[in-house]
Amino acid sequence: MARRGRLHVNPYTFNGLAGRKEPLVVPQGRPLEVELGCGDGLFIVERAALKSDVFCLGIDIRESFLSPGRARIDELALDNVVLETANLIVDLGDLFRAGRVQRFFINFPDPFFKRRHHHRRWLTEDAVNQLVCALEQDGELIYQSDVWELALEALTLFSMHSALHNTCGYFSFCQGRVAEPRTSHEKVWEKFKRKIWRMSFVRH
């Protein structure tokens, strides 16, 4: 029986916090959509298949996670999507020029449940500032989680930023789905009727 790959990675030991050795290169001339912590990459790849006029980028910390997504890119012969590795704790501020990104997706990030591991979460006030800087005017930030504590923490961070507007109402979660297609996690959680908290913020 094949061993199951670990879903959680300690970002403070991975690659020694050295950062990317090469700059991230994405083509100009097309809107850019980015999934941060893309896991298997299948969401952002299927997103690219739906939106041929947009360039899509998936980023995850671990190269081996990206194999399913890269296989799907080859299968669909897509030229508007790439999957790259980066450690968001150290790399995020250097990945994108200001105003370059039309839409960020943060789908079911690692919860790091134990309190002593909370410092491993990359989404902080500084990270939100970096995301807002990278967003274009009226650019969108979409977030989904099945973990209440994590969702509430993210909602608070986004709501505190003066440049972000909650499209679902002040300090409110969205009632319906906020992105297509469904992620791998969404398909599983919806099958078991597990609660998902979703939010959508726009930079104004």
Side-chain angles (χ1 to χ4, degrees):
M1 177 182 297
R3 294 184 63 185
R4 183 179 177 184
R6 292 182 60 195
L7 295 179
H8 302 287
V9 173
N10 182 353
Y12 280 90
T13 60
F14 203 79
N15 292 331
L17 285 177
R20 282 178 58 90
K21 295 181 180 179
E22 298 179 357
L24 186 66
V25 178
V26 295
Q28 303 300 310
R30 282 193 280 186
L32 176 62
E33 295 192 350
V34 180
E35 184 182 13
L36 300 169
C38 67
D40 60 21
L42 292 175
F43 166 82
I44 200 66
V45 172
E46 297 298 338
R47 178 83 179 174
L50 292 174
K51 297 174 70 71
S52 60
D53 60 326
V54 169
F55 191 84
C56 293
L57 170 66
I59 295 176
D60 205 274
I61 194 171
R62 195 167 181 173
E63 184 79 27
S64 61
F65 286 0
L66 304 176
S67 297
R70 287 179 172 159
R72 186 63 172 157
I73 291 173
D74 292 340
E75 180 184 346
L76 297 176
L78 297 174
D79 64 358
N80 66 325
V81 57
V82 294
L83 304 178
E84 297 278 359
T85 57
N87 186 336
L88 295 177
I89 286 179
V90 294
D91 291 324
L92 182 58
D94 299 320
L95 293 178
F96 310 102
R97 63 177 175 81
R100 177 64 182 96
V101 180
Q102 184 182 76
R103 186 170 287 109
F104 279 116
F105 298 96
I106 305 173
N107 294 316
F108 304 94
D110 262 343
F112 292 111
F113 288 107
K114 295 180 180 179
R115 183 167 297 278
R116 68 177 183 271
H117 293 161
H118 283 189
H119 68 285
R120 298 180 182 178
R121 296 174 179 174
W122 67 268
L123 189 61
T124 62
E125 184 177 349
D126 285 343
V128 173
N129 289 333
Q130 292 165 351
L131 294 177
V132 171
C133 180
L135 278 175
E136 64 181 37
Q137 189 72 24
D138 298 322
E140 187 177 18
L141 176 57
I142 289 176
Y143 181 102
Q144 304 182 87
S145 178
D146 64 308
V147 179
W148 163 249
E149 178 193 17
L150 211 59
L152 184 61
E153 182 179 290
L155 180 63
T156 302
L157 285 171
F158 298 149
S159 297
M160 289 172 56
H161 200 290
S162 60
L164 291 176
H165 168 70
N166 189 337
T167 65
C168 300
Y170 177 71
F171 211 77
S172 298
F173 294 105
C174 300
Q175 297 304 308
R177 303 192 63 252
V178 292
E180 294 291 346
R182 283 171 166 80
T183 72
S184 300
H185 277 88
E186 258 185 299
K187 293 174 183 177
V188 173
W189 299 158
E190 289 180 349
K191 178 180 178 181
F192 291 101
K193 302 186 184 303
R194 186 164 175 170
K195 176 70 175 177
I196 297 173
W197 288 276
R198 302 177 170 97
M199 60 195 83
S200 167
F201 283 79
V202 170
R203 179 183 178 182
H204 55 71

